[in-house]
Amino acid sequence: MKAHDGMYIGGAWRPAAGQDVIEVVNPVDEQVIGTVPAGTAEDVDAAVRAARAALPGWAATPPAERAARLAALRDVLAARADEIAETVTAELGSPLKFSQAVHAAVPIAVAGSYAELAATYAFEEKTGNSVVHHEPIGVVAAITPWNYPLHQIVAKAAPALAAGCTIVVKPAEDTPLVARLFAEAVHEAGVPAGVFNLVTGLGPVAGQALAEHPGVDLVSFTGSTAVGRHIAAIAAGQVKKVALELGGKSANVILPSADLAKAVNVGVANVMSNSGQTCSAWTRMLVHRDQYEEAVGLAATAAAKYGERIGPVVNAKQQARVRGYIEKGVAEGARLVAGGPEAPRETGYFVSPTVFADVTPDMTIAQEEIFGPVLSILRYEDEEDALRIANGTVYGLAGAVWAGDEAEAVAFARRMETGQVDINGGRFNPLAPFGGYKQSGVGRELGVHGLTEYLQTKSLQF
């Protein structure tokens, strides 16, 4: 076990204000692998003050120089990719191959995309007799989750730095080790002191202090809808901007003309990825009544292959939560065709890859975000019925549509109330905006739309 001391504030590791620590547990074997300081309001205040002091200089730094620092950061992350993957595997339990391919590789790509954007974005434009100037919004508070611990930090920090903002990051308490590694990478990349700051701690203490700090101009939060509402209420009291990426209950709509086997197999893989701990996972599979039982059989067979391939969920609380939802699904009359609530191993926070059939739209497992390897399969009568079911939750983060004719899939996707839709298995695009409708959030991350979240607009008339 390694004890990690201090907070990264003002370009250096400083002792924490308090003595309390947070234990970091490996979800595979339930062993403590390290500790980090449990930050206090005093630590948060020091970090925000450092960010405010660094803001004028960083905001005035030419975009080309900001781009150079981000390019250097990308290169440092790439050089430490193996260490990143191993760290995420240790604290999240993700299989190493997945950590290498996703947890390490995607943040590197995102950092690189903002290095390019910082160099090419038009921070000034002319319209009529006005010059429209885009300038940094100020000090950013970034409160990030544990499911994609480095990606979520980079998806906030990279555009904030590209925009000329300074930032304080409070990572999830379950996965703080890769956040410390990122702070080291920022330092190595030559980002000026105070531009990036890191405070580890608990959400109700450090997160709360950061969200309500008067020196913060924007709060960017990724996590549960309930906590997002709380942060939005705090921000409203100070008329402070928020960017919220919250829950999801995404629909995977398989139209009758689709390649059923491919759509089902890719859909199951999507739900099992990262042990189901993905806010945009397609956790509701919608299948036409005439193809329903065939799809159920394909999904059950596919899910069985993941029994030894997926990692655990992040902690004991999450394991109990997911197993509770599985038990509720059975109690409400859904048909269990793969997996179940029993823990597949005696040690570790594992949950069996689970598939439910005969799920109706009003069931709890069809309405609430489970955040585990659990798939619900719903039948629909016709396309209008499928659309009603797909749009029939409080969420609208992501989704998928499959059809033999791409135009047919696109026409359906355009009517879905969701922020991102994959057509026939479309690939992830780090330049495309990501964010939700309804209670899935406010604002967008990634690409140019993610950059503009961190900019103020000023018009100069001549």
Side-chain angles (χ1 to χ4, degrees), residues 62-363:
E65 175 57 23
R66 299 202 296 260
R69 292 306 99 217
L70 284 165
L73 176 60
R74 173 203 59 206
D75 293 344
V76 174
L77 293 175
R80 301 182 71 170
D82 288 343
E83 185 182 1
I84 290 168
E86 291 164 2
T87 301
V88 174
T89 291
E91 61 185 349
L92 183 62
S94 171
L96 184 58
K97 285 186 177 180
F98 188 81
S99 293
Q100 292 168 333
V102 178
H103 289 296
V106 172
I108 293 167
V110 172
S113 74
Y114 280 109
E116 295 179 11
L117 268 171
T120 58
Y121 183 78
F123 286 92
E124 281 196 351
E125 57 187 307
K126 196 171 188 309
T127 177
N129 65 308
S130 301
V131 171
V132 180
H133 179 61
H134 303 285
E135 60 189 32
I137 197 166
V139 173
V140 174
I143 303 173
T144 61
W146 44 260
N147 59 327
Y148 290 92
L150 182 58
H151 168 65
Q152 297 288 357
I153 291 173
V154 173
K156 299 179 190 302
L161 300 189
C165 296
T166 56
I167 188 168
V168 180
V169 172
K170 203 296 286 184
E173 49 262 38
D174 291 291
T175 54
L177 302 183
V178 76
R180 293 180 64 90
L181 193 157
F182 181 74
E184 293 172 3
V186 168
H187 191 86
E188 187 176 342
V191 175
V195 171
F196 176 89
N197 306 273
L198 178 74
V199 175
T200 54
L202 301 175
V205 180
Q208 175 84 12
L210 189 54
E212 63 188 14
H213 197 291
V216 167
D217 301 294
L218 181 153
V219 181
S220 180
F221 169 78
T222 298
S224 72
T225 298
V227 176
R229 289 195 199 99
H230 176 66
I231 288 173
I234 293 172
Q238 299 177 3
V239 196
K240 180 184 300 182
K241 184 177 179 180
V242 294
L244 305 173
E245 198 269 279
L246 308 176
K249 195 68 183 175
S250 302
N252 179 18
V253 181
I254 305 174
L255 297 176
S257 63
D259 180 334
L260 184 66
K262 180 179 181 181
V264 170
N265 284 323
V266 174
V268 171
N270 175 277
V271 172
M272 301 305 159
S273 176
N274 209 40
S275 303
Q277 299 169 127
T278 304
C279 53
S280 57
W282 311 332
T283 52
R284 295 180 297 144
M285 181 180 289
L286 278 56
V287 184
H288 190 271
R289 62 181 181 182
D290 294 341
Q291 299 172 314
Y292 187 79
E293 289 303 331
E294 181 182 359
V296 168
L298 289 167
T301 300
K305 298 176 182 178
Y306 287 88
E308 298 299 321
R309 289 164 55 185
I310 66 172
V313 294
V314 69
N315 56 35
K317 180 180 178 180
Q318 186 65 16
Q319 182 191 44
R321 169 187 164 87
V322 175
R323 292 172 66 186
Y325 271 111
I326 296 172
E327 291 170 351
K328 183 165 286 191
V330 173
E332 292 184 358
R335 175 167 44 117
L336 196 62
V337 298
E342 297 79 15
R345 306 186 195 182
E346 291 186 5
T347 303
Y349 308 127
F350 291 88
V351 176
S352 295
T354 298
V355 178
F356 280 107
D358 300 338
V359 178
T360 58
D362 60 329
M363 288 183 178

